[in-house]
Amino acid sequence: RRRLVTRSWSLLVLMTVMASSAPLCIAEIIAADHVVVHKAQRKLYLYDGNRLLGEYKVALGLRPLGTKEREHDSRTPEGRYYLTRRNTRSDFFLSIQVSYPNKADELRARKNRWAPGGSIMIHGYPNLPHHPAAYYESNDWTDGCIALSNSDMVEVWMRTQDNIPIDIYP
């Protein structure tokens, strides 16, 4: 029951945020055709061709240096992936799945006899936080995902579609 209330609350917040941004008409929202993440800068960028649509601060995996190699290494992958599906019923405020692992990631993991891991997402803050909001705003805290503030997550959610590329750089 608590999880259902939290999810309902998340959807209510999403609708409120969308309604409160009344000056931006839905017809005026330009969709991104690709996403770029620069891990060292802790930034996610949305682009339509060469046009920058938005820049967002992100949190990464607990061990952000280097690319994800295997399950439970707390690293965020690096390389070209795609946004594959959306989840409004996530443990986090909205989530969009990233297509990790790709063929190269699977090959590398198999060569080392590791499980590559999976479930890499772009998502907002936890629905049931274990820390104060300031912690999530100023630390890398995910298991390898790319996390944004909930308000930034709404923008990214609204400006992206499934099957667009996401390039994740060191």
Side-chain angles (χ1 to χ4, degrees), residues 12-109:
L12 178 62
V13 169
L14 172 62
M15 290 186 295
T16 302
V17 168
M18 288 169 50
S20 69
S21 56
L24 186 66
C25 175
I26 296 293
E28 295 173 350
I29 295 175
I30 299 169
D33 64 7
H34 67 282
V35 179
V36 174
V37 174
H38 286 278
K39 290 171 45 174
Q41 297 172 3
R42 303 298 191 278
K43 294 285 187 174
L44 180 147
Y45 302 91
L46 296 180
Y47 288 94
D48 175 34
N50 292 328
R51 180 178 173 193
L52 178 64
L53 301 176
E55 176 182 324
Y56 309 90
K57 180 182 175 197
V58 298
L60 303 170
L62 290 167
R63 295 181 56 214
L65 296 180
T67 192
K68 183 162 195 63
E69 295 178 322
R70 58 182 157 192
E71 191 172 38
H72 306 300
D73 67 4
S74 296
R75 290 185 175 157
T76 302
E78 296 170 3
R80 168 147 292 188
Y81 302 95
Y82 293 87
L83 303 184
T84 58
R85 88 181 160 85
R86 294 157 184 275
N87 185 359
T88 58
R89 303 186 72 183
S90 169
D91 289 337
F92 301 90
F93 181 80
L94 303 175
S95 66
I96 304 171
Q97 187 160 10
V98 175
S99 64
Y100 175 88
N102 61 25
K103 298 264 187 223
D105 299 319
E106 289 174 350
L107 257 172
R108 184 177 55 249

Side-chain angles (χ1 to χ4, degrees), residues 10 17 38 66 76 103 120 128 139 149 155-156 161 164:
S10 294
V17 168
H38 286 278
T76 302
K103 298 264 187 223
I120 300 299
L128 299 172
N139 291 288
S149 70
E155 285 188 41
V156 170
Q161 299 177 13
I164 65 169

